[in-house]
């Protein structure tokens, strides 16, 4: 293994970039944009190096670095990644440059500083990479909280309609969740032998009741972050108010900290409590699948609609996590990646439509495919990925989640499968109301609506579409990275996949 | 039963992955190059399918020359592999898939050629051929997969292509709605199909054909029954069978070549393929087979009754397709020797129904896109090739002796009478009655279109025959309608022996074979004669008041109203209610809680004016300071 401190550099470098860009003069927005884009590409290149040096068959955690931080508490700067963290960091490094490119003009109309917008994006990248790379529980908690700050400003200062309300709501919800987690982190430290070191805590025994309380503390924070039903209502507000680029990062990556946290912290550290409360996780997730989809169908605002579809998708990730099989678990992590690609694309494309039209209301569109056929086509492809059509990468993850869940819990799997019908409903109806049918006469009056996909926009969507298709046909490279980490998590929990049970089990649906 | 084993493909057969790859590559070129391919794109589209057809023929003959022709497998790469769940991107070329390959690419080539002429004036012709090629690629993957996940992959792929082509003229609201309806109803079936695949993995630990089929005997009958019924649900969705038939007639919003290729000859028969492919599962449970037969019998009658009451030439043909696929379901449900019979009918239907759809397109081409058969009449004088070719298709479908329908449909009727007990009379009787009704509505269609008085709208002076590029496919398909029946009925059962075996226990039908044949001919001639007598003098130009059965038939036997009342309307109300609750109830509740934690809702409101921002800034500042200090300590 290389001795290059990848994880520290990956966490610090975006912050350095952010600091540099923040001090650029306000009247040189173009310079700030180019610098941010170039810097984020450098981070991406570095991440590619990280990916190539990661050995899927090697140790569970790789690239471990540890530095003294607060010796009195035993808190350290410890970074290390397993396959799950690695794919999430890769997703971040990939999305940020695309978001920078997609957000090129988003801050121009704002009264605030343009360089600051791009500095915030890089600062967000730093905190998100940090949260996935941390192997010290206290460090994770700090990143978990600090991550809110750049996103708060991205929504509250640069967002659209009701941005202040949405930003505060987002902040308060997360903060409340964070408080519960803080309590649990403190409890973990007290009961776990005065350490925040994840590998050490893994072997700690907390006793039945304490374990359950600790589980609930973490779970609540993560359920709000993910978000699971019924803690989801901040997401449509935030997703609706944020600029499309920030929304793509918020929903595409940041929310995954919630599901990642459950996988990294709840399951391995509190295996018995996780099994005890599995019904709770499954129920919330299942309700989310059906509820999110139904409410999405009824939305009038495109960005809110996409936010609700994500609540349904998080439901799939949730049942994948709480099914406790390798198929469902690997599917859930793969789902986190694929959802980042697909919903990231969907948000960015919606942003392109909204910025042309000057409105996110579905009823302000209609027949737009006639004016912007290529953009409408990209919108459709993003929709197909969102409904998990085979050939797009989300299919593989959804299928893995469902089949893995079915082997242990048929009822949950069957109800979740009904979600694939609803998904087709919200996607196709959204497509129909915006791009198909009689062209809305108002669209003809708007000059911007006659401009199809620009070169810059094409550069944003092409890599995402290419990845969605390539991983749709050949997901093996990513699965092979995720799978060992899930296997290790399952063995932490002392669960194994059920064997196929031909003939001995009666029909059960 | 002997275990099923496929051999690894090698030599020339090792390249049969080219079959789906070529049309897929062509689709990618056509869709990615955009306008740059407008001038020649359609020819690339035709060429790619024709190439696949020629290749398909070579593979067919290679397979025929093999000593063991149970099938060859080709593993391209690992698709999904997690724990015990392993799926290859794997293909299988066996007698069953070979037959479908030739149908898809053969009939597909002719329809592609026809579409060059039909779509000549459409500005989206290149895109059309891109979608058309995409369909062929997905359909080939569907029939060539060696496991259920690949089948599902192709299954969803053809669903996508079907959606794109139904709503090809997407600026027309009715076309957009029809496409969405097709996709959604199909997804209902797909969900069932998907759960069946989950069951295979949960109970057998595999989704590969060979391993599933060899393991079926280990399963309890309850598991097999549920699995088979879920597969049937998927099949019913794709094939427009009861209760998921409503999308297929609406699919006629698409351009006519689409109706011919996708919604008549190939994609809608995928349900039949699914059941025929899964025969070890259905053979293992007679209850499941009876349900398949019942669905087939019910749907074939529904299709006939509704088809007799429609006045749109394409809708009549669409309901006819629903009905004819009902015959195929009946056949595969009967099992044993009837699998081959159903597949013969599938192939024959592919020829004559595609031919008639293209004929309908040719009529519309010459009649300013008129589709109402009440406004045709006497066209035989003006479009002779269309008339003759359509006429041969008509005679073929009603089972006129000597033409293909006679050889393909009649044996299914006989087979239905071979069942035991009262079900022989029930299902045999339905099939027999269907023969008479088919003759009636098809003759009505044919007569009102080509014979009787001219009832054209005023803007039509000289209906014209279509150009050669359209009539040549018509002629070739008509030749198929005439000749294929006899050829197929002798060769297909032998060809399919490796799949279905040659030993079939023969039951005697409840009536003698001769009596059944005579009865079915009497029904056919009575139906056709009645239609000619009724419609020789034309028909009223507008809808007439009618008895309850005809009114019900015009309204699709109220199936659409049922779906609307039971699924759509409650779904809409539920959605609205949930949106309301989400905005008020849940949000309010959780907001209240959050505000409580934060110290009263007043503070929440004040927080929006700047309090939180300064708080957030202080967190950021604090964090940065702490981190910087720690770094300084560490590295200092």
């Amino acid at each position: 293994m290389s001795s290059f401190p990848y994880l520290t550099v990956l966490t610090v470098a975006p912050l350095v970039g952010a600091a540099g860009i923040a001090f650029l003069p306000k009247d040189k927005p173009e310079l700030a944009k180019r610098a941010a884009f170039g810097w984020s590409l450098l981070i991406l290149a570095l991440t590619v190096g990280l990916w190539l040096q990661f050995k899927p068959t090697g140790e569970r955690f790789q690239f471990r670095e540890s530095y003294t931080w607060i010796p009195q508490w035993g808190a350290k700067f410890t970074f290390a990644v397993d396959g799950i963290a690695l794919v999430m960091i890769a997703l971040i490094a990939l999305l940020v440059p695309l978001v920078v490119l997609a957000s090129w003009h988003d801050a121009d109309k704002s009264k605030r500083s343009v360089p600051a917008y791009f500095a915030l994006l890089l600062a967000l990248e730093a905190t998100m990479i940090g949260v996935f790379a941390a192997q010290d529980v206290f460090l994770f908690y700090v990143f978990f909280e600090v991550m809110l700050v750049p996103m708060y400003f991205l929504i509250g200062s640069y967002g659209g309609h009701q941005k202040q309300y949405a930003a505060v709501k987002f902040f308060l919800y997360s903060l409340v969740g964070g408080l519960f987690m803080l309590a649990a982190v403190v409890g973990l430290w007290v009961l776990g032998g005065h350490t925040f070191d994840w590998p050490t805590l893994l072997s700690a025994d907390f006793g039945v009741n304490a374990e359950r309380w600790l589980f609930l503390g973490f779970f609540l924070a993560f359920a709000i972050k993910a978000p699971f039903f019924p803690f989801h209502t901040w997401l449509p507000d935030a997703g609706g108010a944020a600029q499309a680029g920030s929304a793509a990062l918020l929903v595409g990556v940041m929310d995954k900290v919630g599901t990642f946290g459950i996988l990294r912290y709840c399951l391995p550290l509190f295996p018995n409590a996780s099994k005890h409360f599995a019904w709770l996780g499954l129920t919330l997730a299942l309700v989310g699948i059906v509820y999110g989809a139904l409410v999405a169908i009824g939305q009038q605002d495109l960005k809110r609609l996409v936010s609700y579809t994500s609540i349904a998708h998080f439901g799939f990730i949730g049942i994948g996590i709480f099914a406790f099989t390798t198929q469902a678990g690997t599917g859930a992590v793969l789902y986190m990646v694929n959802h980042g690609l697909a919903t990231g694309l969907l948000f960015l494309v919606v942003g392109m439509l909204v910025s042309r039209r000057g409105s996110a209301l579905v009823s302000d569109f209609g027949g737009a495919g006639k004016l912007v056929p290529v953009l409408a086509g990209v919108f459709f492809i993003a929709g197909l990925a969102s409904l998990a059509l085979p050939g797009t990468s989300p299919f593989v993850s959804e299928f893995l989640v469902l089949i893995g869940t079915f082997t242990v819990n048929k009822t949950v799997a069957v109800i979740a499968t009904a979600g694939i019908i609803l998904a087709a409903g919200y996607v196709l109806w959204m497509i129909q109301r915006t791009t198909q049918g009689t062209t809305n006469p108002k669209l003809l009056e708007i000059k911007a609506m006659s401009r199809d996909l620009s070169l810059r926009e094409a550069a944003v969507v092409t890599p995402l579409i290419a990845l969605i298709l390539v991983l749709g046909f050949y997901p093996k490279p990513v699965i092979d990275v995720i799978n060992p980490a899930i296997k290790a998590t399952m063995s932490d929990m002392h669960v194994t996949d059920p064997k196929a049970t031909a003939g001995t089990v009666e029909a059960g649906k | 039963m002997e275990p099923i084993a496929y051999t690894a493909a090698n030599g020339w057969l090792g390249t049969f992955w080219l079959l789906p790859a070529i049309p897929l590559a062509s689709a990618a070129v056509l869709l990615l190059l955009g306008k740059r391919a407008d001038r020649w794109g359609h020819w690339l589209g035709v060429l790619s399918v024709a190439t696949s057809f020629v290749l398909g023929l070579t593979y067919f003959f290679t397979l025929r020359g093999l000593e063991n022709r149970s099938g060859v497998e080709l593993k391209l790469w690992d698709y999904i592999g997690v724990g015990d769940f392993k799926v290859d991107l794997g293909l299988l070329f066996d007698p069953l898939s070979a037959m479908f390959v030739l149908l898809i690419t053969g009939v597909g080539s002719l329809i592609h050629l026809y579409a060059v002429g039909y779509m000549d004036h459409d500005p989206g012709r290149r895109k059309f051929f891109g979608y058309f090629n995409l369909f062929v690629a997905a359909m080939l993957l569907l029939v060539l997969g060696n496991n259920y996940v690949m089948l599902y992959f192709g299954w969803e792929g053809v669903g996508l292509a079907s959606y794109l082509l139904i709503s090809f003229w997407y600026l027309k609201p009715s076309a957009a709605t029809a496409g969405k309806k097709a996709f959604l109803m199909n997804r209902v079936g797909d969900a069932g199909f998907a759960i069946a695949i989950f069951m295979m993995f949960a109970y057998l630990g595999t989704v590969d054909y060979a391993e599933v089929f060899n393991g079926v005997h280990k399963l309890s009958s309850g598991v097999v029954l549920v699995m088979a019924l879920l597969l049937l649900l998927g099949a019913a969705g794709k094939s427009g069978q009861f209760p998921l038939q409503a999308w297929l007639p609406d699919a006629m919003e698409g351009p006519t070549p689409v109706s011919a290729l996708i919604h008549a000859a190939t994609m809608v028969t995928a349900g039949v393929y699914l059941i025929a492919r899964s025969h070890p599962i259905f053979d293992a449970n007679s209850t499941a087979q009876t349900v398949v037969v019942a669905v087939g019998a019910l749907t074939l009658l529904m299709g006939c009754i509704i088809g007799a009451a429609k006045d749109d030439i394409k809708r009549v043909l669409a309901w006819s397709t629903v009905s004819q696929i009902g015959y195929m379901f009946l056949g595969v449900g009967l099992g044993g020797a009837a699998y081959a019979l159903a597949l013969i009918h599938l192939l024959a239907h592919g020829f004559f129904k595609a031919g008639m759809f293209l004929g309908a397109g040719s009529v519309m081409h010459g009649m300013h896109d008129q589709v109402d058969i009440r406004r045709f009449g006497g066209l035989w004088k003006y479009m002779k090739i269309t008339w003759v070719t359509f006429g041969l298709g008509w005679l073929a479908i009603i089972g006129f002796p000597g033409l293909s329908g006679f050889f393909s449909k009649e044996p299914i009727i006989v087979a239905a009478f071979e069942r035991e007990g009262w079900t022989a009379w029930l299902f045999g009787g339905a099939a027999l009655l269907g023969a008479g009704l088919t003759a009636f509505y098809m003759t009505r269609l044919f007569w009102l279109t080509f014979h009787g008085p001219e009832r054209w709208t005023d803007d039509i002076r000289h209906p014209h025959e279509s150009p050669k590029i359209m009539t040549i496919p018509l002629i070739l398909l008509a030749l198929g309608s005439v000749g294929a029946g006899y050829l197929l009925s002798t060769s297909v059962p032998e060809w399919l022996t490796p799949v279905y075996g040659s030993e079939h226990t023969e039951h005697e039908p409840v009536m003698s074979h001769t009596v059944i044949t005579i009865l079915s001919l009497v029904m056919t001639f009575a139906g056709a004669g009645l239609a000619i007598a009724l419609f020789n003098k034309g028909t009223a130009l507008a809808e007439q008041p009618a008895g309850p059965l005809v009114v019900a038939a015009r309204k699709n036997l109220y199936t659409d109203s049922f779906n609307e009342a039971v699924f759509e309307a409650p779904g809409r109300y539920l959605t609205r209610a949930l949106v309301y609750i989400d905005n008020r109830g849940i949000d309010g509740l959780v907001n209240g809680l959050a505000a409580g934690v934060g110290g009263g809702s007043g503070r929440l409101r004040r927080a929006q004016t700047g309090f939180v921002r300064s708080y957030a800034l202080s967190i950021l500042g604090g964090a940065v300071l702490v981190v910087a200090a720690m770094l300084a300590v560490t590295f200092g």
Side-chain angles (χ1 to χ4, degrees), chain B residues 4-10 13 16 63 66 68-74 91-93:
Chain B
I4 294 166
Y6 304 119
T7 51
N10 49 36
L13 275 174
F16 80 87
L63 182 70
L66 292 183
N68 167 13
R69 52 184 184 85
S70 62
V72 294
E73 280 186 310
L74 192 62
L91 303 177
L92 166 69
F93 194 76

Side-chain angles (χ1 to χ4, degrees), chain A residues 45-133:
Chain A
L46 206 58
T47 312
V48 171
L50 177 78
W51 181 285
L52 293 177
Q53 298 213 11
F54 185 89
K55 293 181 185 61
T57 51
E59 280 178 63
R60 176 178 187 178
F61 286 96
Q62 300 180 23
F63 305 100
R64 186 176 153 104
E65 306 165 43
S66 193
Y67 312 103
T68 316
W69 184 15
I70 312 173
Q72 294 84 346
W73 299 352
K76 290 181 173 179
F77 282 107
T78 308
F79 292 115
V81 290
D82 60 358
I84 304 171
L86 179 73
V87 294
M88 293 314 296
I89 291 173
L91 178 67
I92 298 165
L94 174 84
L95 277 181
V96 169
L98 298 177
V99 165
V100 168
L101 204 54
S103 313
W104 212 254
H105 300 299
D106 281 0
D108 295 356
K109 276 165 279 170
S110 154
K111 278 173 249 151
R112 317 242 172 205
S113 149
V114 175
Y117 183 81
F118 292 92
L120 283 168
L121 282 178
L122 286 178
L124 182 66
E125 180 173 26
T127 56
M128 290 193 303
I129 291 180
V131 83
F132 287 111

Side-chain angles (χ1 to χ4, degrees), chain A residues 245-420:
Chain A
S246 327
L249 287 181
L250 172 70
V251 181
V253 182
M254 204 169 152
D255 289 350
K256 264 65 162 237
V257 177
T259 46
F260 169 82
I262 298 174
L263 268 172
R264 170 67 72 78
Y265 295 93
C266 291
L267 263 51
L269 297 183
F270 321 119
N272 297 317
S274 297
K275 286 178 209 163
H276 182 74
F277 288 113
W279 64 271
L280 179 68
L282 288 173
T283 309
L284 295 185
L286 203 53
V287 172
I289 290 175
V290 177
Y291 183 90
L294 285 173
V295 178
I297 293 174
Q299 291 305 307
Q300 306 298 324
D301 178 297
L302 279 172
K303 287 201 280 187
R304 290 181 67 87
L305 196 162
V306 178
S307 302
Y308 275 107
T309 68
S310 295
I311 293 165
H313 290 140
F314 288 128
F316 279 103
I317 299 173
I319 64 166
I321 291 173
F322 282 103
F324 308 142
T325 63
T326 53
Q327 289 90 20
T330 304
V333 178
L334 193 59
Y335 210 121
M336 284 154 64
V337 177
N338 289 334
H339 178 264
L341 299 175
T343 303
L345 178 65
L346 196 54
F347 256 121
L348 295 177
V349 176
V350 163
M352 293 168 192
L353 283 167
V354 171
S355 69
R356 282 170 170 75
R357 177 65 180 88
S359 160
L361 281 183
V362 175
S363 54
D364 283 341
F365 290 88
K370 186 182 173 186
L371 301 172
V372 284
V374 180
L375 183 56
V378 175
F379 189 36
F380 180 66
I381 293 174
L384 292 182
S386 186
L387 65 80
L389 194 85
T392 65
S393 55
F395 165 72
V396 180
S397 37
E398 196 167 284
F399 203 81
L400 274 172
V401 165
L402 290 172
I403 207 164
T405 306
F406 189 87
T407 56
V408 289
N409 194 330
K410 298 189 173 44
T411 314
V412 168
V414 168
I415 297 174
T417 306
I420 73 171

Side-chain angles (χ1 to χ4, degrees), chain A residues 67-70 77 112 142 145-146 149-150 152-153 157 164-165 168-169 171-173 175-176 179 229-234 237 291 294-295 297-299 304 308 326-327 330 367 369-370 373 380 384 387-391 395-396 398-400 402-403 406-407 410 413-414 417 420-421 423-425 428-429 431-432 435-439 472-476 479-480 483 497-503 505-509, chain B residues 24 35 77-85 89 141 149 152-154 156-157 160 163-164 167 170-173 176-177 179-180 183-184 187-192 194-195 197-207 215 218-224 226 230 571 574-576 578-579 581-583 586-587 590-591 594 597-598 604 607-610 612-617 619-620 623-624 626-627 630-631 633-635:
Chain A
Y67 312 103
T68 316
W69 184 15
I70 312 173
F77 282 107
R112 317 242 172 205
V142 170
E145 294 287 35
V146 172
V149 179
Y152 170 81
F153 286 106
S157 302
Q164 284 292 319
Y165 172 76
V168 170
K169 194 167 170 183
F171 199 88
L172 284 184
Y173 267 63
L175 207 63
V176 169
L179 285 177
F229 177 90
F231 312 111
H232 62 276
T233 56
W234 65 268
D237 287 333
Y291 183 90
L294 285 173
V295 178
I297 293 174
Q299 291 305 307
R304 290 181 67 87
Y308 275 107
T326 53
Q327 289 90 20
T330 304
K370 186 182 173 186
F380 180 66
L384 292 182
L387 65 80
L389 194 85
F395 165 72
V396 180
E398 196 167 284
F399 203 81
L400 274 172
L402 290 172
I403 207 164
F406 189 87
T407 56
K410 298 189 173 44
V414 168
T417 306
I420 73 171
I421 305 170
L428 294 184
W429 205 40
I431 297 286
Q432 185 183 3
T435 64
Q436 301 178 328
T438 318
T439 306
F473 281 85
Y474 189 60
K476 190 173 156 59
I479 288 180
D480 284 352
N483 195 17
D497 289 344
K499 287 282 156 213
T501 50
V505 180
E506 271 305 307
K509 273 184 53 174
Chain B
L24 183 65
K35 291 199 177 69
W77 60 76
D78 292 340
Y79 181 46
I80 307 176
V82 178
D84 291 338
F85 182 61
L89 215 127
L141 180 65
V149 174
Y152 188 79
F153 200 129
E156 295 277 290
L160 166 67
Y163 167 86
L164 288 169
S167 40
Y170 61 89
L171 295 173
K172 223 167 97 186
T177 304
K180 186 185 65 181
F183 199 101
L184 279 180
R187 271 253 152 166
V188 175
D190 297 351
I195 296 171
I197 299 176
F198 304 157
M199 288 180 73
M200 291 169 195
F201 175 65
Y203 293 113
L204 295 167
T206 179
V207 293
K218 288 187 280 184
L219 297 175
S220 69
S221 68
V223 171
V224 176
V226 173
L230 288 167
L574 180 64
T575 299
R576 268 184 228 152
L578 286 181
V579 170
I581 292 170
D582 199 68
N583 288 342
I586 295 184
D587 200 21
V590 184
N591 263 356
V597 173
L604 176 64
Q608 295 169 28
T609 57
V612 168
R613 197 171 334 140
S614 52
Y615 182 49
L617 255 184
I619 286 194
L620 178 65
V624 168
V626 169
V627 172
M630 294 307 149
L631 284 174
V633 169
T634 312
F635 296 110

Side-chain angles (χ1 to χ4, degrees), chain A residues 172-259:
Chain A
L172 284 184
Y173 267 63
S174 300
L175 207 63
V176 169
L179 285 177
F180 283 102
M181 187 157 94
L182 179 62
V185 167
V186 172
L188 190 67
W189 183 80
V190 173
L191 297 171
H194 297 213
T195 177
F196 289 115
D197 187 46
W198 190 91
T200 316
L201 287 168
L202 195 57
S203 49
D205 181 17
F206 306 100
V208 176
N209 278 327
E211 187 184 328
R212 287 184 187 169
W213 283 112
L214 292 175
F215 171 90
L216 285 178
F218 278 96
F219 178 73
L220 194 63
F222 296 141
I224 291 175
K225 177 63 78 184
F228 289 161
F229 177 90
F231 312 111
H232 62 276
T233 56
W234 65 268
L235 181 64
D237 287 333
Q243 295 283 359
S246 327
L249 287 181
L250 172 70
V251 181
V253 182
M254 204 169 152
D255 289 350
K256 264 65 162 237
V257 177
T259 46

